[in-house]
Amino acid sequence: MPFAKRIVEPQLLCRNQIPNDEGPLFEDLCAISNVVLSRTLRQLSDLARHACSLFQELENNITSTNQRVWVLQNKIGQIQQTASALDPKKEAVRK
């Protein structure tokens, strides 16, 4: 199981500080809707940024793994060619 690199948690969308004066908390329902919508969009953009970062890291890891596997395949191919070029009747076998 991989270690957690990022912790993404939803934040409170509708929580506001209570004003000091005795005025209304919100002017109307439209103001509440706008605040909630803007906070939701901000959280979605943060989540998309985290997802993009994760996919970039994954792509880098896959690319480096692909390069290492390619190098290993070349080494194995060279060893196979060397082994197939050997004549078992001419080579001495140690006991």
Side-chain angles (χ1 to χ4, degrees):
M1 177 122 194
F3 295 109
K5 291 186 176 181
R6 295 171 186 82
I7 298 174
V8 179
E9 296 178 350
Q11 299 296 317
L12 300 174
L13 296 177
C14 297
R15 177 110 7 135
N16 277 341
Q17 295 179 354
I18 299 175
N20 292 336
D21 57 351
E22 294 295 324
L25 184 60
F26 288 108
E27 295 297 324
D28 57 356
L29 186 59
C30 185
I32 296 172
S33 298
N34 289 338
V35 168
V36 171
L37 182 61
S38 66
R39 289 180 182 173
T40 304
L41 289 174
R42 189 174 301 129
Q43 286 186 21
L44 285 175
S45 70
D46 288 343
L47 183 63
R49 192 172 344 122
H50 283 294
C52 182
S53 171
L54 285 172
F55 284 125
Q56 285 175 348
E57 285 182 20
L58 184 63
E59 181 183 3
N60 292 339
N61 289 340
I62 289 172
T63 302
S64 68
T65 303
N66 184 30
Q67 290 173 350
R68 290 187 314 208
V69 167
W70 188 77
V71 168
L72 287 175
Q73 283 179 342
N74 287 339
K75 288 181 181 180
I76 290 172
Q78 291 173 353
I79 291 172
Q80 285 177 343
Q81 288 176 355
T82 304
S84 65
L86 295 175
D87 188 12
K89 295 180 182 177
K90 293 182 181 179
E91 298 296 326
V93 177
R94 290 186 246 175
K95 289 185 180 183

